[in-house]
Amino acid sequence: MRGRRSRTVITYDQHGNMHKVLAPHGTNRMRNGNGQNQQGNQQYQQCQNNYQNQQNHQNSNQGYQEPQNEQFVSRTMILAKGQMKRLRAVLEERVEIHGRGNFPTISTKLINLIRCLRQHMGSVQVEARDVRLNGGAASFVASSDDFSYADLDLIFPIQIDEESDENVEKQIFDAIRDSVFMTIRELMPDNIGKEKFDFETLKDVYIRKMIKVSTDNDKWSLFSLNNEYGRCIELKFVNKMRRQFEFSVDSFQIHLDPLLNELDECEQKKITIESMYGDVQQAMTHLHERLIDTVKPEEIRGGGLLKYCHLIIRGYKAAKPWNCRKLERYMCSRFFIDFPDLISQENKLRNYLDSHFGTSFNGATYDQWSSSGSDTDSEASTSQATTSSLLVTGQAKYDFLMLLYRVIDESTVCLMAHERNMSLNMIDRVAFQLSMQCYTPPNFSSGSSTPPRTTLFYLPPDAATWIPVI
């Protein structure tokens, strides 16, 4: 008698996995076979449906991986209401452009200066894509606490075709130069016969520095308008610039176009602030917590060394303390590459002191006469300088120089010992001159600076008080 043969039953679970089961022939097959086959078919059909749904889902998301807890980094954000109030205060602030010698001081609102310059740029057929507020003023707007700033930087992006030759490029920059001087002449007081002043005279009187850069990676020009208190206005006309910031706290650019035509009710308008650092939220955190951070310091002209020391004495600290010494080495190396000789180093250092701490003459800061005979708001505030405020400014300069001395002494690896000692001796000499109030007086005969205001007193015999004569 033959033995009973077994049969193989194939089943599928809910995940589509196949299982093989041996079952004997006979009555069990007749009794349970249909039910077993029906259950297996249902499981198989369910598996096929799940697989088809999975395939459809994958096809609909082809080429895209769904993010899981991914943080999106944005370089722009909209200004809040409090920041908009600060921005309006900056635009309505009266700024001053000081003339050398006997030339009058130009006093105007910042927004009027921007509007006038845009108008004259249009008259010379040069259009700016937009206008941006940059530098310390933009950081002041972004900050939520007390923040002092000295520089007012305005960026005007311009378009120059890549196929343009040098003559076309020169014509565009010359037209920009003319528009700047036409703006200065228009903003001068009306009672001095301003039409008789040519552009060369205005350049010598009201321009602190002019820079033009034209390379493969950089194509821009800069005009720094003179201000004896260190609150210089810098106008940058940029076609392309490889590096637009030094540290994260000064990387902000505020787009001003929506406010130029109508400044009223500016709190209701949406104004964009952009961080060239890359992450606007992280840059805001660095600003509020007074942290110093940057990327690729070797790309910064001068390495950002002077700005780094300036931030340190203002209470900032490194965002990455463990990387501080490496950062200082990069900054020192780039500084001495850009300023290789002692003369250029001292000129850069003195210019930075004058631009960011106020112009000094024998250790004191002097105000400027107004041609109209009445002080403007900003003149009234700056003319109240007291001895204590001058001492504070002098102490800040001295602390800055001593910190710079320490950083160069500890972090310079690109110089020979005698070269480093020469640079350190130069810094020590400038600090000594500052402490003894022995800055070299400017040559007033050449019109390079404005002499201090002097009052002559006379003491008569048997008198108890001095009598002012002049």
Side-chain angles (χ1 to χ4, degrees):
M1 181 176 178
R2 290 170 48 188
R4 292 187 177 181
R5 299 176 58 186
S6 62
R7 62 186 179 86
T8 302
V9 178
I10 300 176
T11 61
Y12 296 86
D13 60 14
Q14 60 180 351
H15 301 292
N17 299 321
M18 183 177 64
H19 300 277
K20 295 182 179 181
V21 180
L22 294 178
H25 287 278
T27 57
N28 289 337
R29 176 183 177 183
M30 298 300 296
R31 183 172 60 249
N32 300 328
N34 293 335
Q36 184 73 27
N37 290 340
Q38 184 178 3
Q39 182 181 2
N41 292 335
Q42 290 177 354
Q43 293 177 351
Y44 176 77
Q45 187 65 33
Q46 182 179 2
C47 175
Q48 290 292 334
N49 293 337
N50 293 337
Y51 176 77
Q52 188 66 31
N53 292 335
Q54 184 179 2
Q55 287 295 106
N56 295 335
H57 181 72
Q58 291 180 354
N59 293 335
S60 63
N61 294 279
Q62 187 176 5
Y64 173 75
Q65 185 176 2
E66 293 183 354
Q68 297 180 357
N69 298 327
E70 182 179 351
Q71 295 181 353
F72 293 95
V73 176
S74 175
R75 59 187 297 142
T76 62
M77 64 179 295
I78 303 298
L79 291 180
K81 186 176 181 180
Q83 295 170 330
M84 289 297 300
K85 291 182 179 179
R86 286 174 174 251
L87 178 58
R88 180 168 185 169
V90 170
L91 294 177
E92 291 185 336
E93 176 189 3
R94 297 196 71 86
V95 296
E96 291 181 345
I97 308 172
H98 293 152
R100 296 182 175 91
N102 295 325
F103 281 81
T105 295
I106 298 174
S107 178
T108 183
K109 291 183 178 181
L110 181 62
I111 191 169
N112 292 337
L113 172 65
I114 299 173
R115 289 169 176 170
C116 185
L117 181 55
R118 285 287 293 267
Q119 179 181 356
H120 286 295
M121 289 180 65
S123 65
V124 296
Q125 306 301 319
V126 177
E127 295 294 337
R129 294 195 299 269
D130 54 16
V131 183
R132 305 180 185 184
L133 182 66
N134 185 229
S139 299
F140 166 77
V141 173
S143 177
S144 59
D145 54 2
D146 293 335
F147 184 92
S148 60
Y149 68 96
D151 52 330
L152 282 166
D153 297 347
L154 296 171
I155 298 179
F156 298 83
I158 59 174
Q159 182 64 38
I160 300 178
D161 295 335
E162 294 291 340
E163 296 79 9
S164 300
D165 55 14
E166 294 182 358
N167 293 330
V168 175
E169 178 183 326
K170 182 178 183 301
Q171 291 176 0
I172 293 176
F173 281 114
D174 288 345
I176 292 174
R177 175 179 177 271
D178 294 343
S179 66
V180 172
F181 292 141
M182 286 189 290
T183 301
I184 293 175
R185 185 163 59 187
E186 181 174 340
L187 295 176
M188 292 177 68
D190 296 328
N191 57 352
I192 61 171
K194 55 188 177 182
E195 292 79 10
K196 63 183 179 182
F197 299 121
D198 57 14
F199 292 166
E200 289 299 321
T201 301
L202 297 177
K203 176 177 73 69
D204 296 335
V205 171
Y206 290 106
I207 302 296
R208 177 181 289 263
K209 62 181 177 181
M210 289 196 318
I211 299 175
K212 177 184 174 183
V213 178
S214 180
T215 62
D216 294 336
N217 298 320
D218 295 278
K219 193 173 294 184
W220 52 273
S221 65
L222 178 143
F223 297 82
S224 180
L225 308 183
N226 186 50
N227 185 284
E228 299 296 335
Y229 311 129
R231 296 179 64 85
C232 298
I233 305 172
E234 291 192 349
L235 309 174
K236 296 180 181 179
F237 302 89
V238 180
N239 174 245
K240 54 184 177 180
M241 181 182 292
R242 181 176 59 177
R243 184 77 181 205
Q244 300 190 38
F245 72 100
E246 291 183 283
F247 299 95
S248 59
V249 294
D250 62 6
S251 65
F252 299 104
Q253 295 184 6
I254 301 176
H255 298 255
L256 300 178
D257 272 28
L259 301 177
L260 296 183
N261 295 329
E262 186 62 41
L263 189 58
D264 296 335
E265 300 180 356
C266 67
E267 291 83 0
Q268 301 178 2
K269 298 181 180 179
K270 293 183 178 181
I271 304 300
T272 302
I273 182 171
E274 180 179 3
S275 174
M276 310 310 293
Y277 175 74
D279 187 346
V280 66
Q281 293 294 345
Q282 187 175 14
M284 286 285 186
T285 301
H286 292 167
L287 180 64
H288 296 155
E289 298 182 3
R290 305 178 76 84
L291 300 176
I292 302 174
D293 194 18
T294 188
V295 292
K296 298 182 180 179
E298 66 276 7
E299 293 183 355
I300 308 173
R301 175 167 174 79
L305 177 62
L306 302 183
K307 183 64 175 289
Y308 171 79
C309 295
H310 194 186
L311 291 174
I312 291 291
I313 67 168
R314 290 171 57 189
Y316 287 75
K317 57 184 179 180
K320 303 173 183 176
W322 61 88
N323 198 37
C324 188
R325 185 54 59 87
K326 182 179 179 181
L327 177 64
E328 291 178 355
R329 288 175 180 172
Y330 276 122
M331 292 189 294
C332 289
S333 298
R334 181 59 195 263
F335 180 81
F336 289 112
I337 289 174
D338 293 331
F339 307 100
D341 58 275
L342 207 60
I343 296 178
S344 62
Q345 294 169 18
E346 184 171 354
N347 288 337
K348 176 63 177 178
L349 181 57
R350 290 185 179 272
N351 289 335
Y352 189 90
L353 290 172
D354 290 343
S355 299
H356 294 81
F357 294 90
T359 301
S360 183
F361 175 78
N362 284 341
T365 303
Y366 300 97
D367 56 354
Q368 181 80 9
W369 284 104
S370 173
S371 62
S372 61
S374 60
D375 287 345
T376 60
D377 295 339
S378 56
E379 284 175 342
S381 61
T382 53
S383 62
Q384 302 300 322
T386 62
T387 304
S388 60
S389 64
L390 297 176
L391 291 176
V392 169
T393 302
Q395 185 63 44
K397 290 182 179 181
Y398 187 82
D399 294 341
F400 167 80
L401 292 172
M402 290 298 97
L403 178 61
L404 178 64
Y405 185 101
R406 193 271 300 169
V407 172
I408 292 179
D409 185 32
E410 297 179 357
S411 301
T412 300
V413 295
C414 61
L415 297 181
M416 299 181 66
H418 73 278
E419 294 175 328
R420 182 180 59 187
N421 291 334
M422 290 173 61
S423 298
L424 294 176
N425 291 336
M426 179 271 295
I427 298 174
D428 190 53
R429 172 170 51 82
V430 174
F432 176 76
Q433 292 177 354
L434 175 65
S435 63
M436 299 298 294
Q437 299 185 355
C438 290
Y439 272 119
T440 303
N443 184 10
F444 296 126
S445 60
S446 62
S448 61
S449 183
T450 302
R453 183 167 53 188
T454 304
T455 302
L456 178 64
F457 290 89
Y458 171 66
L459 181 63
D462 302 329
T465 59
W466 293 84
I467 299 175
V469 179
I470 299 178

